[in-house]
Amino acid sequence: MSITVRFSKVYLIGQVAVTGNKEKEGPMCNFYDFCFGDEKAHQDTFEDGESAMIKKALTLLLKKTKLKYEDIGLVFGGDLSNQLSSSSQCFKDVPLSFIGLYSACSTYILALGLASSFINAKYVDNALCYASSNYGVCERQFRYPLEYGICKKNTTTVTVSGVGASIVSSFMSKIEVVSFTIGEVYDPTYNNVDDLGGVMAYSAFHVINSHLSKTNSKIEDYDLIVTGDLSSKGSMVLREMFKKDHKNLINYCDAGEIVYNLEDKKTYAGGSGAGCIAIFMSFICTKMNKGEIKRCLLVGTGALHSQTSTLQNKSIPTISHAVELRRVS
């Protein structure tokens, strides 16, 4: 059974997004703080490039919030590289206590929820949370070598090269973190790695319904409900599931569906990766600070498979977590 944690006086005081060049060409480009010219971020390898993006995001976030390393009590976050190696390479040079997380593409929402929990418990005054992904790192780790040039299906998604980072604080801002619903691992007994959006829609459906039930709220209470990376295919599945449940999923969008220009056939069904909803947070925060969005439900979606489990023809377990944000009047 999923649980919901309610918070009191927990705020989001800063957000940055750092991306690669392909993301810069997408419709959300005006909300990003910095864009590198390629996935390697001028480094020798994709892994080093991802580490450089994380470090750049941290630098920009501290500058934007006018905080120093000593003001940050804890860091929560992770990426999709084996053993979080990209994050570890970054944080070995950063003087901060680090809690590395892996929840596939739902990592950012998990990090945001856990950071808020520590603020709510008054363990620290400021906590930094982030999530990162990189096309070059993930493609060869979860799919095929980049040089292989395999013909892909239209349900395939493209991993976002980017980092989204936030600071959650006990100090008041215009954006309050209200609650956090921790999802269950859900297995739809499906093993098509070329359609991860359709797989993750099941856990997204369950965690949204659970959050609504436990917070005594309705879909129409939210100005916006955002899923992480279901893509154009998975978001269609999610809408159909709610329709069968006699609910209309209004004011809804998927970060993966709009991070790229879908007219570009090279992006297939849209974006994916832990960095997907993390960089989309810059759009959310901009709109909430302006008062254009007053209540928002963020749903991180993750497929918990591995290269090994895929080769063993195992089904793909999925996980989703939800965090509610509210504009302070």
Side-chain angles (χ1 to χ4, degrees):
M1 180 181 295
S2 59
I3 68 167
T4 297
V5 182
R6 296 174 184 269
F7 303 129
S8 175
K9 298 180 180 179
V10 177
Y11 304 95
L12 201 159
I13 65 171
Q15 169 72 30
V16 299
V18 173
T19 75
N21 191 56
K22 187 179 294 184
E23 292 70 29
K24 183 181 179 181
E25 297 171 353
M28 296 288 106
C29 61
N30 292 332
F31 297 96
Y32 303 147
D33 296 270
F34 189 89
C35 298
F36 284 97
D38 65 296
E39 285 94 356
K40 290 184 179 179
H42 316 310
Q43 306 298 310
D44 293 332
T45 67
F46 292 110
E47 289 77 10
D48 287 343
E50 186 169 17
S51 294
M53 286 187 180
I54 297 171
K55 190 170 290 186
K56 183 68 175 180
L58 299 183
T59 302
L60 291 175
L61 185 56
L62 291 175
K63 183 177 180 180
K64 179 181 282 191
T65 57
K66 299 179 181 179
L67 296 176
K68 300 177 181 178
Y69 280 133
E70 52 264 34
D71 298 320
I72 307 298
L74 272 173
V75 176
F76 296 84
D79 58 78
L80 302 183
S81 65
N82 285 331
Q83 288 78 50
L84 305 184
S85 58
S86 295
S87 291
S88 299
Q89 285 297 319
C90 170
F91 283 97
K92 67 183 178 62
D93 300 319
V94 176
L96 291 173
S97 295
F98 173 58
I99 296 179
L101 303 173
Y102 183 84
S103 189
C105 301
S106 65
T107 295
Y108 173 77
I109 300 302
L110 178 62
L112 177 60
L114 291 176
S116 300
S117 299
F118 271 65
I119 299 295
N120 188 68
K122 297 180 171 53
Y123 291 133
V124 293
D125 288 324
N126 299 299
L128 191 151
C129 55
Y130 79 95
S132 168
S133 55
N134 181 282
Y135 173 78
V137 175
C138 294
E139 187 69 15
R140 62 189 181 190
Q141 182 172 296
F142 289 102
R143 295 190 177 107
Y144 301 95
L146 299 178
E147 299 82 5
Y148 190 38
I150 189 171
C151 184
K152 299 178 180 179
K153 299 180 179 180
N154 62 2
T155 54
T156 301
T157 52
V158 176
T159 303
V160 163
S161 293
V163 183
S166 315
I167 291 181
V168 184
S169 177
S170 59
F171 298 101
M172 190 173 181
S173 74
K174 293 180 180 179
I175 303 174
E176 185 176 10
V177 187
V178 179
S179 58
F180 172 38
T181 297
I182 305 168
E184 305 169 60
V185 175
Y186 185 83
D187 186 0
T189 62
Y190 189 75
N191 62 1
N192 184 2
V193 294
D194 293 316
D195 182 16
L196 295 178
V199 176
M200 295 184 292
Y202 289 86
S203 63
F205 174 78
H206 282 277
V207 83
I208 291 172
N209 271 326
S210 178
H211 183 85
L212 295 175
S213 174
K214 292 178 183 298
T215 58
N216 194 29
S217 55
K218 304 182 293 294
I219 290 174
E220 51 267 33
D221 292 335
Y222 294 91
D223 298 310
L224 185 63
I225 295 175
V226 183
T227 49
D229 58 341
L230 299 185
S231 77
S232 59
K233 305 300 180 182
S235 56
M236 182 173 62
V237 173
L238 183 64
R239 288 186 178 97
E240 286 299 317
M241 292 177 75
F242 273 102
K243 189 177 294 185
K244 289 182 180 179
D245 198 34
H246 307 292
K247 296 174 184 175
N248 186 15
L249 191 59
I250 58 175
N251 300 327
Y252 163 72
C253 75
D254 179 75
E257 188 174 9
I258 59 179
V259 68
Y260 298 127
N261 292 309
L262 288 183
E263 294 77 16
D264 181 359
K265 300 302 181 183
K266 293 182 180 179
T267 61
Y268 304 95
S272 61
C276 193
I277 196 170
I279 64 172
F280 189 73
M281 277 297 295
S282 287
F283 168 82
I284 298 293
C285 290
T286 298
K287 294 297 183 179
M288 292 196 78
N289 278 318
K290 290 181 178 180
E292 296 174 15
I293 296 175
K294 295 184 178 179
R295 194 175 178 188
C296 178
L297 184 63
L298 308 168
V299 184
T301 49
L304 303 175
H305 67 299
S306 71
Q307 217 173 28
T308 302
S309 65
T310 297
L311 292 173
Q312 293 172 342
N313 204 30
K314 301 288 188 182
S315 61
I316 303 171
T318 64
I319 186 84
S320 293
H321 307 292
V323 167
E324 180 178 341
L325 303 180
R326 189 175 297 163
R327 159 77 188 213
V328 178
S329 302

